[in-house]
Amino acid sequence: MRNIGSKIYSSIRLYLHYVSINIRCVMQYKTSFFLTAFGQFLVSFTTFLSVFFMFQRFSSVEGFTYSEVLLCFAVMLMEFSLAEMFARGFDQFSGMVRRGEFDRVLVRPQNEIIQVLGSKFELTRFGRMLQAVVMFVYGILKSGIDWNFSKILTVIFMLIGGTTVFTALFLIYAAFCFFTLESLEFMNIFTDGAREFGRYPVGIYGEKMLLFATFFVPYALIQYYPLLYILGRRTERIYMFLPLLACGFLIPALLFWKFGVRHYKSSGS
């Protein structure tokens, strides 16, 4: 048990060291960083405008008001932004495999996942995160939710679960590169696509979509069901803990990654 704890501590320490290196590199060009972060803010802002203009014409969508939809979209965007910030290394993994750089990773004594994660830390996603925070604050002020400790905890669980689910999707995205060398663009349906349709509660897309988002890729567990609890439409405490259940999606992603590592063949340099 002590050895396991020591390995976890060592991995976390190494990852934080990688993060500090990435941040120092980015901040060498501060103007570029702030312009890129501002660009990320504007990209998310255009998505917000589509929601805004739609609610200029309709008062609600399947019973969800403008402020409730913003609250839903903000949480989903925060989850995606956090995952993209910390797990960006997986998104660029195909280049590492193509150039034969993964060979170096395998001969090092540290865990290969930590090394790939640490290869890229996307601090510029802070701009997108800021947009999400602004929408979230507005949604809180206008939705009239009676906040208590359990609902605040639910939001925290949503962020943890959502970040884990999107990180698992990035991990699956990277694992495919062991067999294809190139990244598979269809995986963007599950990452960027989820961010886009996550503007609205998953339940509005119909029963089949809700089943898919509950049992296949658990978007509903990190967005729709806990949102119902926060809005007071469901009172069962189980809804509060569903985002933590969604963290289990990381297990098949890790197994697929390990399967890919075992079948990895160097592409040379």
Side-chain angles (χ1 to χ4, degrees):
M1 185 65 71
R2 183 178 298 176
N3 289 336
I4 295 174
S6 177
K7 287 181 180 179
I8 293 174
Y9 174 75
S10 176
S11 297
I12 293 174
R13 193 174 173 187
L14 176 63
Y15 177 70
L16 293 177
H17 180 63
Y18 278 134
V19 169
S20 68
I21 292 173
N22 276 280
I23 292 175
R24 288 199 299 271
C25 289
V26 168
M27 296 313 291
Q28 291 297 314
Y29 305 94
K30 293 182 177 62
T31 302
S32 175
F33 164 72
F34 286 114
L35 287 176
T36 304
F38 182 64
Q40 291 292 327
F41 180 90
L42 291 180
V43 168
S44 299
F45 187 70
T46 57
T47 308
F48 158 74
L49 286 178
S50 68
V51 177
F52 174 77
F53 287 127
M54 194 193 73
F55 275 95
Q56 296 301 301
R57 188 171 184 84
F58 304 101
S59 59
S60 65
V61 176
E62 293 290 327
F64 291 94
T65 65
Y66 175 57
S67 58
E68 291 172 346
V69 167
L70 276 190
L71 196 65
C72 166
F73 179 36
V75 173
M76 195 74 164
L77 187 58
M78 277 192 277
E79 295 166 351
F80 182 81
S81 300
L82 284 170
E84 201 174 31
M85 187 182 295
F86 289 99
R88 187 66 172 175
F90 290 133
D91 196 34
Q92 300 185 345
F93 182 67
S94 60
M96 185 179 288
V97 172
R98 236 180 9 257
R99 294 187 296 268
E101 295 175 4
F102 191 63
D103 297 11
R104 278 194 318 230
V105 170
L106 290 176
V107 298
R108 292 170 182 163
Q110 293 293 338
N111 183 277
E112 74 278 357
I113 291 179
I114 295 297
Q115 294 184 65
V116 175
L117 273 175
S119 66
K120 185 70 174 177
F121 179 76
E122 199 66 78
L123 188 61
T124 55
R125 293 302 185 268
F126 172 78
R128 188 178 290 172
M129 187 74 178
L130 181 61
Q131 173 70 38
V133 170
V134 171
M135 288 192 297
F136 186 71
V137 171
Y138 180 86
I140 288 175
L141 295 175
K142 297 294 183 180
S143 58
I145 296 172
D146 183 20
W147 288 95
N148 53 39
F149 179 73
S150 63
K151 290 183 179 181
I152 294 172
L153 203 58
T154 302
V155 173
I156 296 172
F157 289 162
M158 289 172 76
L159 293 177
I160 293 172
T163 303
T164 302
V165 167
F166 280 114
T167 298
L169 287 168
F170 284 129
L171 183 59
I172 293 171
Y173 181 79
F176 272 115
C177 298
F178 289 122
F179 308 99
T180 63
L181 292 184
E182 294 288 343
S183 56
L184 299 178
E185 293 301 320
F186 85 89
M187 282 298 297
N188 290 329
I189 298 172
F190 301 101
T191 53
D192 295 284
R195 183 195 66 210
E196 291 302 313
F197 81 71
R199 287 179 288 180
Y200 304 99
V202 175
I204 74 168
Y205 297 108
E207 185 177 347
K208 290 182 180 178
M209 185 62 192
L210 185 58
L211 288 172
F212 173 85
T214 301
F215 299 105
F216 187 70
V217 183
Y219 301 123
L221 303 187
I222 61 174
Q223 187 235 45
Y224 181 65
Y225 297 121
L227 180 69
L228 294 179
Y229 179 76
I230 291 172
L231 297 178
R233 301 189 182 192
R234 292 289 185 274
T235 57
E236 300 91 333
R237 284 294 178 92
I238 186 65
Y239 284 80
M240 173 182 171
F241 297 100
L242 287 178
L244 297 182
L245 181 63
C247 293
F249 185 64
L250 188 60
I251 295 173
L254 286 170
L255 291 175
F256 184 50
W257 169 269
K258 291 296 183 183
F259 178 76
V261 171
R262 287 198 300 271
H263 291 78
Y264 170 69
K265 294 180 180 179
S266 176
S267 61
S269 63

